[in-house]
Amino acid sequence: MTGKEYFKDKVVFVTGSSKGIGKATAALLGDYGARICVNGRNSEAVELTCSEFEAGGITCLRLPGDVSDSEQCKSMIGKIIREFGRLDVLVNNAGIGSHGKFKELDVKAWDKVVGINLMGAIYMTTYALPYLSETKGSVIFISTLAGKLGMPGHSTYSVSKMGLTALAEAMQVELKKERIHTGIVYVGFTENEDNKQILYPDGSYKKLPARNQKQAKREDVAMSIAKAIRRRKRSITLTAVGKLQKFALRFMPFAIKIILKKANNDYDKMYDH
Ligand SMILES: NC(=O)c1ccc[n+]([C@@H]2O[C@H](COP(=O)([O-])OP(=O)(O)OC[C@H]3O[C@@H](n4cnc5c(N)ncnc54)[C@H](OP(=O)(O)O)[C@@H]3O)[C@@H](O)[C@H]2O)c1
């Protein structure tokens, strides 16, 4: 079945779809004919993205709101059901990057990163599940290669994303009989929006420092996410680095120790420790 055949008229909610990978994913699924629910905290960005989508013929629902607030998640799912009467796909994409070594991290940083990346996905999935059960739909978690390792200098981010793996694994078994598809996508370095911000150790947002690693295109990541939904995949790992990491985790655990030590040294150089 092609993307157009699979997604036509489906109701898809991509959290954090006003920008970045979420926007590219929502745009692709909208082009395939899905009705799209667009979210982000900044309502102007949600409005801009929806106007852009509508100009291209995509049916759009505006859902400005913060996924780390359970009441807002409940209300967003309620609006989708009132508007479209169903939900076929939930992509838990809203997320923030972060950095900081454990001893310099303010607890505010933990609250924000875990609150958005992990609790946000948990709240939204909780409220979406009864409707996904009716449609035998899909719930997808967007993780990262740093969600398979405890990355030195990025423990907040790794912890929040590793939690998604635990949740996805448990749900895959628990929801098998209900035929709800649960998948997790481990995304590698991807091109960012110019003004992307991440959370610093003191719990404040600042600009993401420039990266010199090879980065995937957002449109290619979106294509992989669409395929994972259509083929009801349990887990996919993107980029060559991701595939190498997957191999090393399974067959060369000693190499992982070396990778983590190097990451620690690189972090110290980058942030002048
Ligand atoms: N870019 C990469 O290299 C990369 C690599 C691996 C994994 N990922 C993962 O991919 C996902 C998207 O990343 P991205 O690079 O596309 O980020 P991005 O460009 O910063 O976009 C993040 C999106 O999420 C929204 N968002 C953030 N916090 C939110 C909250 N509390 N409630 C609702 N929406 C919120 C943002 O809108 P507002 O700011 O207006 O809320 C925006 O629409 C994240 O889960 C990230 O961890 C990214």
Side-chain angles (χ1 to χ4, degrees):
M1 201 185 275
T2 65
K4 283 202 165 142
E5 287 161 349
Y6 187 85
F7 286 104
K8 188 169 167 23
D9 292 332
K10 285 204 163 41
V11 176
V12 173
F13 183 17
V14 183
T15 67
S17 42
S18 60
K19 284 185 254 170
I21 293 168
K23 180 176 175 183
T25 304
L28 176 67
L29 302 186
D31 283 343
Y32 283 158
R35 291 170 281 175
I36 302 295
C37 310
V38 174
N39 159 257
R41 290 163 300 183
N42 181 323
S43 52
E44 280 172 29
V46 170
E47 181 55 44
L48 256 170
T49 297
C50 281
S51 307
E52 213 179 285
F53 284 0
E54 284 165 349
I58 296 172
T59 302
C60 235
L61 176 65
R62 290 149 176 79
L63 293 175
D66 188 339
V67 299
S68 68
D69 178 327
S70 65
E71 283 305 311
Q72 291 190 40
C73 291
K74 194 177 184 177
S75 148
M76 285 186 245
I77 297 295
K79 282 183 189 156
I80 295 172
I81 301 307
R82 279 197 298 284
E83 178 74 17
F84 297 123
R86 61 185 290 138
L87 178 62
D88 298 277
V89 177
L90 169 66
V91 181
N92 284 299
N93 165 80
I96 51 166
S98 57
H99 80 86
K101 289 206 170 178
F102 184 77
K103 67 179 181 189
E104 65 191 10
L105 286 165
D106 191 288
V107 290
K108 283 195 283 238
W110 282 104
D111 284 346
K112 283 190 186 156
V113 179
V114 175
I116 296 172
N117 294 1
L118 178 58
M119 295 313 297
I122 291 174
Y123 296 147
M124 204 56 96
T125 304
T126 301
Y127 296 120
L129 212 59
Y131 304 104
L132 293 172
S133 176
E134 282 170 15
T135 55
K136 312 285 171 238
S138 290
V139 50
I140 300 289
F141 298 103
I142 303 301
S143 186
T144 158
L145 304 184
K148 293 187 177 192
L149 302 168
M151 285 305 286
H154 301 274
S155 56
T156 39
Y157 191 56
S158 285
V159 165
S160 68
K161 295 290 190 176
M162 270 193 180
L164 296 177
T165 300
L167 180 60
E169 279 180 9
M171 284 176 60
Q172 281 162 355
V173 178
E174 291 175 14
L175 298 174
K176 199 165 179 216
K177 273 202 193 120
E178 286 180 61
R179 292 177 39 227
I180 298 175
H181 161 230
T182 307
I184 185 158
V185 178
Y186 295 97
V187 177
F189 279 129
T190 303
E191 286 173 357
N192 286 306
E193 301 268 2
D194 289 343
N195 50 2
K196 175 161 169 167
Q197 295 203 321
I198 62 165
L199 207 72
Y200 273 58
D202 62 356
S204 67
Y205 283 95
K206 290 195 185 90
K207 199 171 165 8
L208 173 77
R211 286 171 173 169
N212 49 15
Q213 294 92 341
K214 192 172 183 306
Q215 302 187 81
K217 296 219 168 301
R218 291 194 285 270
E219 291 69 23
D220 292 340
V221 174
M223 194 69 88
S224 301
I225 295 170
K227 254 192 219 161
I229 300 168
R230 201 151 47 87
R231 298 184 182 166
R232 293 176 87 84
K233 290 275 189 194
R234 294 161 66 93
S235 163
I236 58 165
T237 302
L238 307 185
T239 72
V241 172
K243 289 178 196 347
L244 258 173
Q245 185 201 65
K246 190 174 170 187
F247 180 85
L249 274 164
R250 190 173 295 175
F251 300 111
M252 303 162 66
F254 61 91
I256 295 295
K257 279 190 191 156
I258 300 169
I259 291 169
L260 294 182
K261 209 168 165 191
K262 182 176 179 314
N264 192 46
N265 292 339
D266 290 349
Y267 182 88
D268 286 346
K269 271 186 221 146
M270 186 162 178
Y271 291 99
D272 246 358
H273 277 61

